Amino acid sequence: MSMHDMYLEIKQSPELSGDISLFGAKNAVLVIMASLLLTRGVSRLKNVPASSDVLHMIRLLESLGASIRFDRQKHELVIDTTQVNKWCVKPEIMNKMRASILVLVTLLARFYRADIAFPGGCVIGNRPIDFHVKNFQKMGVEIESKGSYLKAHVRSFIPGELVLEYPSIGATENLLMAAVAAPGSTKIINAALEPEVMDLIAVLQKMGAQIEIQAPATIEVRGGAELKPIEHELVADRLEAGALLLAAAITGGSVHVTNARADHLAVFLLKLEEMGHLVKKGLKSKGIVLEATKSPQAVSFKTSPYPGFPTDLQAPMMALQCLARGRSVIDETVFENRLVHVRELQKMGAQISIEGAKAIITGVDELYGARVIASDIRASCALALAGLAAKGTTIMTGLSHWQRGYDNLHKKLASLGAHVHLYSSTTISPSLENEFQKLSHRY
Ligand code: EPU
């Protein structure tokens, strides 16, 4: 089935209520899957979301020679990298997903060469890879672009001191994986330390790598050890947590996200409290309850690297500001073109103006259902949230994004009482559901 035949229908919903749990983080699982190429043998990942990005990474690793089983019911992914024997990633695979740039280093570590088609993925600004490339070169990687390919080779990764001018998540992850393969000590200065990066570090440590974090944001790696396969339960997805808490807030409800980590969402939760919502954190930061205020106050915020307000929750949080009392200024500092959802929210009656990278929102009493198009993963979340509170019915297309980022989030929302339904014509090619069914049958 083509994604174009699918849409999400969202109707104004009652106050959401109930308990719900999260899958593992989509942005952790992709890089962790790539990191398994550093090992030979069978690894097992738990709480894996069945999102289409995960499916694409499965296809990518299979195209290199890995054997993979995915149990859809248990959310368990078993990857055997013993037979991986290719170092070339074709454009048709690479274009599906930007995260596939993450296999460049692991292929170099294994084969000393890698041919990777240029990355695809969300259209959020330019999304260059200059921080990756500059530091690869420092580590002895020769890299050139030929046609639609990046061709790289290395004799041996050279350890040393690497500085990132901005704490890029992807660059930090790539350099970490290069550093564990480099014989000696490597420092990554001004590294990203998002929970997803920390989950990769936990996996690399389980494999046998020596990694230490030094204040304020340096990662020191003593590399060169032989790495072994691992078993790992992924960190809970803080962005899925954000979506569910915001769904409770926008419908005036009360929801308990049982395995959400409050310590991973500190600034976000602070802003929800400033809006007037009651946030209760579980013991040892595990579990978050949100009890919504009926009269939310608008708040302003600015996105920044962890532990600041996450850019991936900027669009979803904006949906709430559209219906809050007063004026909100949202400053997107991480990506230069991540306000595409504004136009779609305006179609629903939101009052928003854009000044550079800032969105200025004046709260309105009501939003109205409309036909809207999701332009990236988090925009799809924002529009679904707005739809829950909007009068009437919202029809959202652009569902490939929803499916890339979330595993059946509509079903989780529906289980809490939301009137949301995914419609699809089942007549064309096999759906994502069927693809995962086929992978489960290998169990
Ligand atoms: N940047 C450069 N040069 C580089 C790398 C990054 O200029 O070589 C810039 C980017 O253009 C951007 C900023 O640095 O303006 C931050 O980019 P970063 O590298 O941190 O982002 P990423 O690794 O490409 C990951 C997530 C994104 C998430 C961002 C920011 C994955 C697979 N992707 O992307 O996730 O928005 O970090 O937190 O982990 C999403 O999940 O919806 C999503 C887009």
Side-chain angles (χ1 to χ4, degrees):
M1 176 184 51
S2 137
M3 296 291 181
H4 303 296
D5 307 308
M6 295 172 53
Y7 62 92
L8 205 60
E9 181 193 83
I10 310 130
K11 294 194 164 145
Q12 190 173 33
S13 298
E15 298 172 8
L16 299 198
S17 73
D19 287 12
I20 195 84
S21 70
L22 305 169
F23 294 124
K26 168 227 151 204
N27 285 345
V29 69
L30 299 177
V31 65
I32 289 172
M33 287 170 75
S35 77
L36 298 179
L37 293 175
L38 295 167
T39 68
R40 285 180 168 74
V42 181
S43 287
R44 195 176 289 267
L45 300 178
K46 294 181 180 165
N47 208 19
V48 174
S51 63
S52 63
D53 265 5
V54 168
L55 184 67
H56 292 142
M57 192 54 116
I58 290 175
R59 295 282 177 256
L60 189 158
L61 294 179
E62 282 183 335
S63 79
L64 299 171
S67 315
I68 302 186
R69 289 178 292 148
F70 185 57
D71 184 329
R72 180 74 197 271
Q73 262 65 49
K74 281 163 72 185
H75 289 272
E76 196 171 284
L77 186 61
V78 178
I79 300 186
D80 184 350
T81 55
T82 316
Q83 307 291 337
V84 169
N85 59 358
K86 293 190 189 67
W87 54 82
C88 178
V89 180
K90 300 257 160 36
E92 57 272 26
I93 291 189
M94 195 65 173
N95 286 337
K96 292 256 161 53
M97 186 180 51
R98 183 187 156 86
S100 31
I101 182 74
L102 295 168
V103 295
L104 181 86
V105 164
T106 48
L107 288 176
L108 282 174
R110 200 169 173 122
F111 300 109
Y112 306 101
R113 55 184 293 190
D115 294 351
I116 307 274
F118 278 113
C122 288
V123 189
I124 313 173
N126 289 329
R127 305 195 79 179
I129 54 167
D130 52 326
F131 305 157
H132 305 238
V133 172
K134 277 187 218 167
N135 284 295
F136 288 160
Q137 285 165 343
K138 273 197 188 155
M139 296 188 84
V141 176
E142 286 179 34
I143 193 160
E144 55 172 345
S145 65
K146 266 197 183 157
S148 55
Y149 279 87
L150 277 182
K151 289 185 177 266
H153 67 96
V154 68
R155 272 181 216 284
S156 165
F157 285 109
I158 303 166
E161 198 168 283
L162 308 171
V163 184
L164 287 170
E165 59 194 75
Y166 184 88
S168 150
I169 295 177
T172 302
E173 291 169 341
N174 252 335
L175 297 177
L176 254 170
M177 293 189 288
V180 298
S185 163
T186 298
K187 281 190 176 185
I188 307 169
I189 294 162
N190 198 20
L193 294 173
E194 269 71 3
E196 295 76 24
V197 179
M198 296 305 288
D199 213 31
L200 170 66
I201 290 177
V203 163
L204 295 172
Q205 286 171 329
K206 280 186 188 175
M207 287 178 181
Q210 285 187 45
I211 305 174
E212 206 179 274
I213 314 281
Q214 294 157 3
T218 293
I219 304 175
E220 181 167 12
V221 180
R222 266 177 290 276
E226 193 177 330
L227 301 177
K228 50 183 193 301
I230 48 100
E231 216 178 282
H232 184 71
E233 177 164 343
L234 296 165
V235 64
D237 195 323
R238 63 194 169 112
L239 306 173
E240 190 191 19
L244 291 161
L245 295 169
L246 291 170
I250 205 164
T251 58
S254 169
V255 165
H256 177 201
V257 187
T258 54
N259 59 338
R261 291 273 303 263
D263 53 339
H264 291 170
L265 286 164
V267 177
F268 171 71
L269 295 178
L270 175 78
K271 288 290 154 185
L272 284 175
E273 284 174 336
E274 283 179 7
M275 289 185 78
H277 301 297
L278 182 64
V279 175
K280 294 185 201 157
K281 299 164 198 170
L283 279 181
K284 293 190 182 157
S285 267
K286 195 170 169 204
I288 303 173
V289 175
L290 183 133
E291 287 173 19
T293 173
K294 297 283 187 276
S295 164
Q297 174 66 45
V299 292
S300 296
F301 61 92
K302 155 164 138 179
T303 63
S304 55
Y306 189 79
F309 193 103
T311 171
D312 291 332
L313 287 173
Q314 176 259 112
M317 185 64 155
M318 186 184 294
L320 264 75
Q321 305 315 311
C322 296
L323 286 164
R325 220 168 355 102
R327 185 167 172 271
S328 157
V329 180
I330 298 180
D331 189 357
E332 172 55 61
T333 75
V334 178
F335 288 106
E336 80 277 22
N337 182 23
R338 207 179 199 182
L339 294 173
V340 184
H341 44 281
V342 164
R343 228 185 60 141
E344 304 305 301
L345 290 169
Q346 285 167 336
K347 284 188 195 164
M348 300 176 76
Q351 276 197 27
I352 311 175
S353 60
I354 295 183
E355 282 175 22
K358 288 193 180 122
I360 295 128
I361 302 134
T362 308
V364 293
D365 290 337
E366 275 170 347
L367 292 177
Y368 302 93
R371 297 180 81 89
V372 290
I373 305 167
S375 54
D376 68 67
I377 296 172
R378 309 306 164 186
S380 77
C381 179
L383 297 171
L385 289 169
L388 294 176
K391 277 197 144 179
T393 304
T394 297
I395 301 288
M396 179 172 83
T397 52
L399 271 223
S400 58
H401 300 293
W402 181 258
Q403 296 210 311
R404 282 187 55 210
Y406 305 103
D407 175 354
N408 284 303
L409 182 56
H410 46 286
K411 289 190 184 159
K412 288 191 180 179
L413 290 168
S415 78
L416 298 169
H419 297 161
V420 47
H421 195 85
L422 191 143
Y423 286 96
S424 57
S425 111
T426 49
T427 50
I428 315 175
S429 63
S431 67
L432 187 64
E433 200 76 19
N434 288 343
E435 292 280 304
F436 278 117
Q437 285 294 338
K438 277 192 245 155
L439 281 161
S440 295
H441 286 149
R442 297 192 195 159
Y443 248 75

